[in-house]
């Protein structure tokens, strides 16, 4: 359920993180302050311990000096008492020793006063440390109480939001279940219809297979008939082509007028009414002719370039729309001989 809530409401996690971020920052700040205070206390205690050790060492040295002076004084006293009469002059040194002893007593009193001051400073520092610890503890308790209050508020709000979203989620789940039941009923109906359709399709496939076999048999029979018809049509086409070739040969023989001519180099000669031929150059080795053909009535010129022997040069006259053929049969150095075929208009009965 928690995973579904997180998937359907991805923004709630971000909102909770945004709400708890100030509390986390404040808690981190309080922890940093406490750590700094503890470090300061440790440093102050270390310095105080160092000063106490130094003072104790000085006191020990001072007491050692005092004890040494006392022992010296006692030794001198004992030694002087035994030889008081013999060493009368040494008695004059006793006031100086007494002065030294008094000076040492003053120094010892000053040292004791310094030690008392150090003890007072230690007591003051201890009181200040106690007060600092009380302030830090109070701040820490306040921060903890505030953080706990914020956490309780945020937790309550998160629980309220979760409850609301769970209610909406349960409502959606109910809707989904109802839709799912309707979908299952619809799917069952569709499955029934699909089963009926499959049976109909199976029947239709069987009918189609039967009709396809009948069509294939009919196609085979029709193919055989078509082959027979095609062979017959091919035979008829061949006969038609043969008759057409014969008819064209007869038409060509009946519809042409052949006019022979002989022309000389660099001279223009009339080879038929209105048709003039000029031979400009002849190539006997290769049997080719260069020149031109002129239709005087139409004012047109056809250029002849490299026309070989027995090659046909065709042209059409515009006046009667007739095709003419020019053929050179022999080519010499002085000129060429050939013929001109004029296609005559045949009677309609001959063309048919």
């Amino acid at each position: 359920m928690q995973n579904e809530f997180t998937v359907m409401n991805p923004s709630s996690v971000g909102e909770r993180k945004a709400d708890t971020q100030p509390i986390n920052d404040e808690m981190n700040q309080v922890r940093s302050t406490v750590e700094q205070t503890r470090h300061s206390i440790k440093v102050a205690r270390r310095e105080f311990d160092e000063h106490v050790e130094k003072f104790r060492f000085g006191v020990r040295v001072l007491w050692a000096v005092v004890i040494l002076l006392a022992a010296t004084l006692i030794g001198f006293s004992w030694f002087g008492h035994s030889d008081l009469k013999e060493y009368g002059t040494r008695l004059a040194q006793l006031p100086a020793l007494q002065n030294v002893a008094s000076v040492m007593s003053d120094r010892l009193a000053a040292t004791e006063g310094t030690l008392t001051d150090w003890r007072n400073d230690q007591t003051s520092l201890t009181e200040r440390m106690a007060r600092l610890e009380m302030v830090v503890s109070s701040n820490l308790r306040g921060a903890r109480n505030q953080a706990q209050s914020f956490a309780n508020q945020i937790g309550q709000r998160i629980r309220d939001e979760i409850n609301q979203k769970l209610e909406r989620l349960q409502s959606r789940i109910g809707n989904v279940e109802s839709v799912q039941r309707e979908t299952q009923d619809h799917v069952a109906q569709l499955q029934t219809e699909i089963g009926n359709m499959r049976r109909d399709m199976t029947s239709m496939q069987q009918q189609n297979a039967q009709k396809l076999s009948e069509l294939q048999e009919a196609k085979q029979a029709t193919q055989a008939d078509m082959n027979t018809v095609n062979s017959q049509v091919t035979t008829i086409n061949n006969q038609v082509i043969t008759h057409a070739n014969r008819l064209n040969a007869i038409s060509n023989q009946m519809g042409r007028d052949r006019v022979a001519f002989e022309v000389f180099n660099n001279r223009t000669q009339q080879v038929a009414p209105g048709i003039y031929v000029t031979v400009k150059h002849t190539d006997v080795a290769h049997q080719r002719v260069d020149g031109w053909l002129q239709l005087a009535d139409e004012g047109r010129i056809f250029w002849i370039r490299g026309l070989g022997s027995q090659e046909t040069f065709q042209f059409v006259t515009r006046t009667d729309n007739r095709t003419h053929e020019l053929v050179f049969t022999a080519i010499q150095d002085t000129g060429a001989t050939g013929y001109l075929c004029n296609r005559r208009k045949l009677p309609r009965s001959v063309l048919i």
Side-chain angles (χ1 to χ4, degrees):
M1 185 66 70
Q2 183 177 1
N3 294 331
E4 294 178 355
F5 175 74
T6 303
V7 172
M8 297 182 64
N9 299 276
S11 62
S12 61
V13 179
E15 293 177 357
R16 291 198 298 272
K17 290 182 178 180
D19 293 336
T20 57
Q21 187 63 34
I23 298 174
N24 294 330
D25 295 338
E26 188 171 358
M27 291 296 294
N28 293 329
Q29 186 175 2
V30 171
R31 290 193 185 98
S32 177
T33 304
V34 172
E35 292 295 331
Q36 292 178 359
T37 305
R38 288 179 179 175
H39 181 70
S40 300
I41 292 170
K42 289 180 181 179
V43 172
R45 284 182 177 176
R46 190 181 303 112
E47 292 178 354
F48 179 76
D49 292 338
E50 290 177 357
H51 287 296
V52 170
E53 289 296 329
K54 290 180 181 179
F55 180 76
R56 287 179 180 176
F57 179 75
V59 170
R60 291 191 188 99
V61 172
L62 183 60
W63 276 109
V65 172
V66 170
I67 292 170
L68 181 62
L69 289 175
T72 303
L73 182 61
I74 292 170
F76 277 118
S77 298
W78 179 78
F79 185 74
H81 181 72
S82 61
D83 296 332
L84 181 62
K85 295 179 180 181
E86 296 178 359
Y87 300 99
T89 58
R90 295 182 179 178
L91 294 174
Q93 296 178 354
L94 290 176
L97 293 174
Q98 290 177 358
N99 293 329
V100 171
S102 63
V103 170
M104 294 300 294
S105 298
D106 294 336
R107 290 184 178 179
L108 181 60
T111 304
E112 290 178 354
T114 304
L115 181 60
T116 303
D117 294 335
W118 276 103
R119 289 178 179 176
N120 295 330
D121 292 338
Q122 184 179 5
T123 304
S124 177
L125 181 60
T126 303
E127 292 176 354
R128 291 174 60 187
M129 293 298 296
R131 287 195 299 270
L132 182 60
E133 289 179 354
M134 291 175 63
V135 171
V136 171
S137 300
S138 177
N139 293 333
L140 184 60
R141 285 194 299 272
R144 287 179 180 175
N145 294 330
Q146 188 176 4
Q148 186 66 31
S149 177
F150 283 149
N152 293 331
Q153 293 177 2
I154 293 173
Q156 185 62 36
R157 187 168 63 183
I158 291 172
R159 285 192 293 270
D160 295 338
E161 292 178 357
I162 291 174
N163 292 328
Q164 294 176 0
K165 292 178 179 179
L166 284 176
E167 290 178 357
R168 290 197 294 268
L169 182 61
Q170 289 176 357
S171 178
R172 291 182 181 178
I173 291 173
N175 295 329
V176 170
E177 290 177 352
S178 62
V179 172
Q180 186 176 6
R181 286 193 294 271
E182 294 177 356
T183 304
Q184 289 177 354
D185 296 337
H186 186 61
V187 168
Q189 184 179 359
L190 290 176
Q191 288 178 352
T192 303
E193 294 178 357
I194 290 171
N196 296 330
M197 291 178 64
R198 286 179 178 175
R199 288 191 293 272
D200 295 338
M201 288 179 65
T202 303
S203 177
M204 291 176 65
Q205 287 177 355
Q206 293 175 357
Q207 294 177 1
N208 290 333
Q210 183 178 359
K211 290 181 180 179
L212 182 61
S213 61
E214 292 177 357
L215 289 173
Q216 289 178 352
E217 293 176 357
K219 182 178 179 181
Q220 292 176 359
T222 305
Q223 188 68 32
D225 296 337
M226 288 294 295
N227 293 331
T228 304
V229 172
N230 288 332
S231 62
Q232 293 177 358
V233 169
T234 302
T235 303
I236 293 171
N237 287 334
N238 293 331
Q239 293 176 359
V240 170
I241 291 170
T242 302
H243 291 304
N245 291 332
R246 290 179 182 176
L247 182 60
N248 290 331
I250 294 171
S251 298
N252 291 330
Q253 293 178 1
M254 295 178 62
R256 289 185 178 181
D257 291 333
R258 183 169 178 174
V259 179
F261 62 85
E262 182 179 1
V263 294
F264 298 96
N265 289 341
N266 298 319
R267 293 178 60 183
T268 301
Q269 293 180 238
Q270 183 176 1
V271 295
I275 301 174
Y276 297 87
V277 177
T278 301
V279 176
K280 186 66 177 177
H281 176 263
T282 58
D283 185 358
V284 180
H286 297 88
Q287 290 292 298
R288 294 190 177 279
V289 176
D290 294 330
W292 62 85
L293 183 143
Q294 182 179 3
L295 300 179
D297 295 338
E298 299 178 4
R300 293 191 300 158
I301 296 175
F302 298 96
W303 296 98
I304 301 173
R305 295 183 178 89
L307 183 63
S309 177
Q310 301 299 329
E311 291 182 356
T312 302
F313 182 79
Q314 294 183 349
F315 59 94
V316 179
T317 56
R318 293 177 179 175
T319 56
D320 52 4
N321 196 20
R322 295 170 60 185
T323 303
H324 305 274
E325 296 177 355
L326 177 68
V327 181
F328 290 102
T329 57
I331 300 172
Q332 298 88 20
D333 292 334
T334 57
T337 58
Y339 61 89
L340 177 67
C341 290
N342 297 324
R343 188 181 295 275
R344 293 186 287 106
K345 291 184 178 180
L346 298 177
R348 187 175 182 85
S349 60
V350 175
L351 293 175
I352 295 173

